[in-house]
Amino acid sequence: MTKKELYAQVLARFEEAMPVAETELHFGSTFQLLVAVMLSAQCTDKRVNMVTPALFEAYPTAEAMAKASEEDIFRYVKSVSYPNSKSAHLAAMARMLVGEMGGEVPSDVEQMQRLPGVGRKTANVVAAVAFDQPAMPVDTHVFRVANRIGLTVNSKTPLQTELELTKHIPDAVIPKAHHWLILHGRYVCQARKPKCGQCCIADICKRKGVSDAV
Ligand code: SF4
């Protein structure tokens, strides 16, 4: 099978298996999505969704959060991973949004990365989810699954994986493909015990039966 055929097969199978593929984070605006994505770094979406209702009630907008101190924010996010640095980043991010960007999250990935605590992966998630841009954030699931399936070959970094995936996946499909790879990695192609018996691409996967943490 050529690489082109592999990509076409995998995308078609995922479309059939996961016709609805969306972020599992809860949010009510682009600003709240950015906050939730920042909180989700090295933390589960489930845990983030437990703290954001109260956080968003207290600080629903950039303007409201910009008036809060790190300590104020910490009280709401203390149960997520790295609460100290995340509180500091959220306070600084909101202040910069209000002070320099009119209180609106920019759609441009480079502009977004100027915000404190916002790296390439976070900016790509917001670009894909909120602005439907052909952005491919590469987290641990996307990196692992793409390698296992053979969509990427010998990729050593998230950026290499991002560039390879975006080169082969049509722009219009990239935002959904991002969710497919994450959901597949989270629930089927898990790091230690991939559920190959339940996998919709088992017959075309190069790494069927793996049990390592690739
Ligand atoms: S066959 Fe197994 S290793 Fe391959 S994608 Fe499916 S779950 Fe992952």
Side-chain angles (χ1 to χ4, degrees):
M1 188 183 291
T2 65
K3 198 155 202 178
K4 195 174 171 187
E5 288 166 343
L6 176 67
Y7 268 85
Q9 280 277 341
V10 168
L11 295 175
R13 303 272 187 99
F14 281 165
E15 174 68 57
E16 198 177 335
M18 297 174 272
V20 177
E22 298 169 340
T23 178
E24 294 183 314
L25 292 169
H26 299 163
F27 60 97
S29 66
T30 304
F31 169 72
Q32 292 182 4
L33 170 65
L34 175 58
V35 171
V37 176
M38 289 172 72
L39 289 172
S40 73
Q42 296 179 305
C43 190
T44 64
D45 289 359
K46 198 173 164 189
R47 167 61 53 189
V48 172
N49 288 337
M50 288 168 73
V51 307
T52 47
L55 179 69
F56 293 156
E57 191 175 338
Y59 311 117
T61 62
E63 286 76 11
M65 192 171 281
K67 292 177 189 148
S69 66
E70 290 175 35
E71 293 74 22
D72 292 333
I73 296 170
F74 179 88
R75 268 188 259 133
Y76 292 94
V77 304
K78 61 188 174 194
S79 66
V80 303
S81 59
Y82 306 105
N84 288 302
S85 61
K86 286 179 181 175
S87 303
H89 282 148
L90 288 178
M93 177 277 287
R95 280 187 213 116
M96 185 187 262
L97 264 188
V98 172
E100 299 183 27
M101 300 178 181
E104 298 289 331
V105 178
S107 59
D108 181 78
V109 166
E110 305 303 325
Q111 281 294 312
M112 249 190 277
Q113 287 180 85
R114 290 180 53 219
L115 293 163
V118 178
R120 187 176 184 90
K121 188 179 75 176
T122 296
N124 273 335
V125 172
V126 176
V129 174
F131 299 109
D132 208 26
Q133 290 180 13
M136 175 60 76
V138 176
D139 69 356
T140 180
H141 296 304
V142 175
F143 186 78
R144 179 183 71 254
V145 170
N147 262 337
R148 278 183 179 169
I149 300 172
L151 298 177
T152 54
V153 179
N154 297 326
S155 176
K156 298 282 185 281
T157 65
L159 182 59
Q160 263 182 282
T161 297
E162 178 188 327
L163 296 177
E164 186 77 5
L165 292 175
T166 51
K167 185 170 136 193
H168 291 94
I169 300 173
D171 280 3
V173 184
I174 287 175
K176 206 168 181 186
H178 152 239
H179 294 305
W180 284 333
L181 290 165
I182 287 179
L183 294 173
H184 191 65
R186 195 174 282 169
Y187 298 111
V188 181
C189 192
Q190 294 163 338
R192 297 207 176 156
K193 285 195 179 174
K195 298 172 180 169
C196 301
Q198 301 171 25
C199 178
C200 64
I201 53 172
D203 58 314
I204 55 172
C205 174
K206 291 189 170 68
R207 299 294 301 274
K208 183 182 174 188
V210 293
S211 58
D212 55 31
V214 174

